[in-house]
C-alpha cells in the first residue's frame, strides 16, 4: 500500500526492514520528505503502524513523504525487482565502507531492525553489504542517524541536489 506523494524514480530509496522503533521510522520519513527520497517500510513493524501512530511519529511530514508499505519481505522484493532497483544493505557485518561504494540513481538503501538487523535471506538478496565504520567504542549507531549518513553520501555521489 502506498501513501503520500511520489519521489523521483531516478533517486535512491530508503528501506526499513521490520523496524522496531516508531520514532526512528518517523525521523526517516521526515528525512525522506525533506530530501525528496521515497521510503519503503517492510512489515511487520514492531510498533503500531496505523496512520494515527505514523502521524504521531512523523509529525506533519507524513503527508509529504513518499511512503510505500509492504506487508512482508516477499512483497517488497517483488516490487523492487519489478522496478529494477539494486538493493544495498547497511549492516554492522558489512564488508565495504559506505563511503567507498559507488551509488547509482535508483538504488534502494536498506536498513535492518534496530534489535536484530536483517536475516540471512535479506543479506543474500543484497548486491552489496555496506558498513559505516565506527572507530569509537560504540556498538552501533541509531537507525535514523545511519540512514541520514547513507542518504547524504548517496546524494553527494549521484548529484541529486541542484547547485545553488
Amino acid at each position: 500500500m502506498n501513501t503520500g506523494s511520489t519521489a523521483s524514480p531516478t533517486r535512491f530509496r530508503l528501506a526499513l526492514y521490520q523496524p522496531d522503533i516508531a520514532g526512528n521510522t518517523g525521523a526517516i520519513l521526515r528525512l525522506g520528505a525533506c530530501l525528496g527520497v521515497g521510503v519503503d517500510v517492510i512489515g511487520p513493524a514492531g510498533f503500531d503502524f496505523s496512520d494515527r501512530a505514523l502521524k504521531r511519529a512523523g509529525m506533519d511530514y507524513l503527508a509529504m513523504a513518499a511512503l510505500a508499505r509492504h506487508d512482508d519481505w516477499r512483497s517488497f522484493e517483488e516490487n523492487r525487482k519489478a522496478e529494477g532497483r539494486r538493493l544495498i544493505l547497511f549492516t554492522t557485518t558489512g564488508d565495504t565502507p559506505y563511503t567507498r561504494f559507488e551509488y547509482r540513481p535508483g538504488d534502494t538503501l536498506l536498513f535492518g531492525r534496530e534489535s536484530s538487523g536483517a536475516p540471512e535471506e535479506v543479506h543474500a538478496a543484497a548486491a552489496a553489504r555496506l558498513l559505516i565504520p565506527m572507530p569509537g567504542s560504540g556498538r552501533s549507531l541509531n537507525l535514523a542517524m545511519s540512514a541520514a549518513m547513507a542518504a547524504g553520501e548517496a546524494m553527494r555521489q549521484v548529484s541529486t541536489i541542484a547547485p545553488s
Side-chain angles (χ1 to χ4, degrees), residues 47-130:
F47 55 87
D48 177 16
F49 204 73
S50 67
D51 285 338
R52 181 176 173 215
L54 277 179
K55 284 178 187 171
R56 187 170 47 251
M59 301 183 322
D60 56 341
Y61 289 87
L62 183 59
M64 296 185 299
L67 169 63
R69 299 180 191 184
H70 306 276
D71 290 336
D72 54 31
W73 172 249
R74 184 180 45 79
S75 64
F76 167 77
E77 272 294 86
E78 288 172 3
N79 182 266
R80 180 188 68 80
K81 288 177 181 177
E83 291 180 354
R85 292 182 174 275
R86 183 172 66 158
L87 186 66
I88 310 302
L89 177 63
F90 284 74
T91 172
T92 58
T93 62
D95 48 12
T96 303
Y98 81 110
T99 54
R100 292 193 183 146
F101 183 76
E102 188 175 323
Y103 300 90
R104 298 190 300 228
D107 282 346
T108 294
L109 312 181
L110 177 65
F111 301 85
R113 284 189 96 134
E114 291 94 337
S115 62
S116 59
E120 183 51 42
E121 116 180 270
V122 173
H123 279 258
R129 291 181 293 284
L130 305 183

Side-chain angles (χ1 to χ4, degrees), residues 5 17 21 24 31 38 41 58 61 71 83 86 97 112 120 128 155 163:
S5 63
Y17 179 84
I21 301 171
N24 282 336
L31 175 70
V41 177
Y61 289 87
D71 290 336
E83 291 180 354
R86 183 172 66 158
E120 183 51 42
M155 289 181 79

